[in-house]
Amino acid sequence: VQTCALPICMPTVTIVLALATVGMLLIALVAVGGFTVLAQRRLRSLGMLGALGATDTNIRLVVRVNGVLVGVVGALAGAVLGLAVWLAYRPELQSSAHHLIGPFQLPWVVIGPAIALAVVATYFAASRPARAVTRIPIVAALSGRPAPPKQVHRSAVPGVVLFVIAAALLSYSGSSNGNGGGGALGLVLGIVLLIVAIILLAPFCLVVLARLGRRAPIAIRLALRDLARYRARSGSALSAISLGVFIAA
């Protein structure tokens, strides 16, 4: 019987960190809607800060710090829960592996960046609502009424172009797999471009669905209309769902 640390190689570290990054991207996309609702509920308090002399930078900092604190609390809670599960599972692992494994002999090279990614994801998720709150006039914020949604006219051409390029790269990587794995670079670039294309095309897809559902039953029509009207939040959720299906596929 000998003491050993958990073995981990660099390809495994790369794969785990890549999966953690994609997972945190999904969490950030979903969290955008949550932080937007939270900022609207605290609109009167944020308006009071502006009335007391706080600048737009100060108000954005308040919302972003809120996101960072949520990330820190979530990361610490997840780390403590994961450590508790590991300590409970360690005796069974030692018995099956016939090795003594220290309680803190863990792959910290993976755990540390994963904890940092959780904080970074919530920071970026809170950045978009922080910018949106500062565009609301102070008087409107003090009234507590959310600002009416603005019609945003954005072209879908960049998303379509990136989608076509990603499809071409993925097709090229698939045809190159039989030649010694030469399509690995095309596969990585194709996946990255496809993720960006999905994020860019999600709001446009909501608008198209709302127009196609004008003759649908009233329940479906109202749901599609609200999704298209508040597509700043629903677009992020649709992107997260689409990426989740993409990962499963």
Side-chain angles (χ1 to χ4, degrees), residues 117-137:
L117 282 173
V119 180
V120 172
T122 52
Y123 171 80
F124 282 106
S127 296
R128 185 173 181 179
R131 292 192 300 268
V133 167
T134 54
R135 299 190 186 102
I136 301 176

Side-chain angles (χ1 to χ4, degrees), residues 7 26 38 168:
L26 296 177
L38 185 62

